[in-house]
Amino acid sequence: MKEYNLTVVPTQNPTILKFETNQNLTQGNNYEFKNIDEAKKSPLAQQLFYLPFIKTVYVSGNFIALERFDIVEWEDVKDEVAQQLVEYLNAGEPVVLEEAVGKKVAVTVYAEVTPNPSTMKFVASRRIVPEPFEFKNIDEATESELAKQLFHFPFVKQVFLDENYVSVSKYEMAEWDEITMELREFIRDFIADGKEAVSVNARAIKLENTPKEQEIQENLDNTSLQIIDILEEYVKPAVASDGGNILFKSYEEESKTVNVILQGACSGCPSSTYTLKNGIETMLKNMMGDKVNEVVALNG
């Protein structure tokens, strides 16, 4: 049996470290385990969770990525972890208890129209990603195999992923009744093959570029925090149902202006201005009183 060798590879997120192998670890599937209970089908992940600093274990075709808690630095423990992984793999112990190759994941996908005529929402019967991701072109989609392959369709303009759906925006060169079936079947087959829509590295990059919740809370005034709470509780669910997302950007106290970012189906939607003025703006004015005069949207 060929001996396993590991290469330690840093990621843009300092809490996540990759251990790349010279042999495949899985049958092409990707796995994420957040605790020892979730790791029942991965003896390797279960063993790793006995290390008190391991927060999340990712297992892919040719690497293991580990996310740590802040109680240690990777520089202090990476060699010890690498040695433990090499010994485990070379002992012939199982990484993940996978079912037979070729077995499809049971999934259904249906198409749903959105208020934006250039965007269609494709809803799956299972979760695709843990959080929203937006890709405006194929160059931005290097860490998302699903988005990258969708951009190979000449009529695909933008791709937005969130929870259990994919919002696809098209160019005017094609009509939805001509391409919806093709896109739906492609997305369904991609998920059914057990492929990962977004890579671990994409999540690492996003975490690195997103301020920590505690820092956000400390830097924002009370009015901004109230606006965020309203958007999260009342607006986001409705926007998500239309295949989009809304993010708080800033609050200008002097002009009492709320700036938000629209993503997915909401970005560039002809009806978004109406929705803002007659929906979100009215709601914030009613709930915030004279603290809000206007809501201004920026396309994501």
Side-chain angles (χ1 to χ4, degrees):
M1 183 178 68
K2 186 178 178 181
E3 185 175 299
Y4 280 91
N5 293 315
L6 288 183
T7 303
V8 180
V9 181
T11 70
Q12 293 193 29
N13 184 348
T15 67
I16 297 179
L17 197 63
K18 287 174 66 176
F19 298 84
E20 294 186 351
T21 65
N22 61 331
Q23 300 183 56
N24 286 334
L25 300 172
T26 70
Q27 298 171 355
N29 298 321
N30 304 290
Y31 302 90
E32 177 181 344
F33 308 105
K34 293 187 176 296
N35 54 61
I36 197 168
D37 292 329
E38 288 187 4
K40 291 179 180 178
K41 65 179 180 180
S42 174
L44 172 58
Q46 285 189 316
Q47 180 166 315
L48 287 167
F49 277 118
Y50 285 113
L51 299 173
F53 53 83
I54 295 298
K55 182 178 181 181
T56 308
V57 177
Y58 307 94
V59 182
S60 188
N62 69 332
F63 71 83
I64 299 161
L66 303 177
E67 182 180 8
R68 62 168 174 79
F69 287 106
D70 292 334
I71 59 175
V72 298
E73 296 294 330
W74 275 123
E75 193 62 35
D76 299 328
V77 297
K78 66 179 182 180
D79 293 338
E80 175 188 345
V81 173
Q83 183 62 32
Q84 180 175 329
L85 288 172
V86 166
E87 291 177 355
Y88 183 95
L89 294 172
N90 285 325
E93 299 293 336
V95 178
V96 179
L97 303 176
E98 297 185 295
E99 297 184 16
V101 178
K103 184 171 182 178
K104 296 279 188 177
V105 175
V107 62
T108 58
V109 174
Y110 68 87
E112 187 177 286
V113 297
T114 75
N116 187 343
S118 67
T119 302
M120 185 73 72
K121 179 180 177 183
F122 297 88
V123 185
S125 58
R126 59 188 295 122
R127 193 174 78 156
I128 303 171
V129 291
E131 57 186 315
F133 288 89
E134 184 174 43
F135 306 98
K136 295 183 179 180
N137 53 61
I138 196 169
D139 292 331
E140 292 184 1
T142 54
E143 297 296 338
S144 172
E145 189 61 29
L146 175 56
K148 186 164 59 177
Q149 291 192 28
L150 283 170
F151 278 117
H152 288 157
F153 291 99
F155 45 76
V156 171
K157 183 179 181 181
Q158 294 184 22
V159 178
F160 178 77
L161 311 175
D162 191 11
E163 290 288 336
N164 69 326
Y165 69 86
V166 183
S167 287
V168 177
S169 299
K170 69 173 181 66
Y171 290 104
E172 294 182 0
M173 61 185 289
E175 298 297 330
W176 282 120
D177 57 2
E178 300 170 347
I179 62 176
T180 297
M181 183 66 71
E182 182 180 11
L183 286 173
R184 184 185 69 81
E185 290 181 354
F186 173 80
I187 293 169
R188 183 196 61 199
D189 290 344
F190 184 96
I191 301 169
D193 286 339
K195 298 176 182 177
E196 188 176 42
V198 176
S199 73
V200 174
N201 196 41
R203 298 172 195 169
I205 293 171
K206 187 163 187 176
L207 287 170
E208 180 71 9
N209 294 333
T210 303
K212 294 181 180 178
E213 185 175 344
Q214 183 177 351
E215 293 175 354
I216 294 175
Q217 299 289 328
E218 291 174 352
N219 293 331
L220 293 180
D221 56 85
N222 288 332
T223 301
S224 295
L225 293 175
Q226 286 179 297
I227 293 170
I228 290 174
D229 287 341
I230 293 171
L231 293 178
E232 290 287 333
E233 184 174 356
Y234 298 102
V235 180
K236 272 199 173 186
V239 171
S241 69
D242 286 336
N245 190 34
I246 185 169
L247 301 172
F248 172 82
K249 180 172 176 61
S250 63
Y251 171 70
E252 300 170 16
E253 185 175 3
E254 186 174 340
S255 63
K256 300 178 181 179
T257 299
V258 179
N259 297 298
V260 297
I261 297 174
L262 298 178
Q263 295 179 312
C266 299
S267 180
C269 176
S271 64
S272 61
T273 300
Y274 178 86
T275 302
L276 279 169
K277 296 301 177 184
N278 294 276
I280 301 171
E281 186 174 280
T282 300
M283 178 187 295
L284 287 174
K285 285 180 176 179
N286 290 338
M287 299 181 77
M288 301 291 296
D290 60 1
K291 292 181 180 179
V292 173
N293 276 339
E294 183 183 19
V295 176
V296 176
L298 305 171
N299 290 330

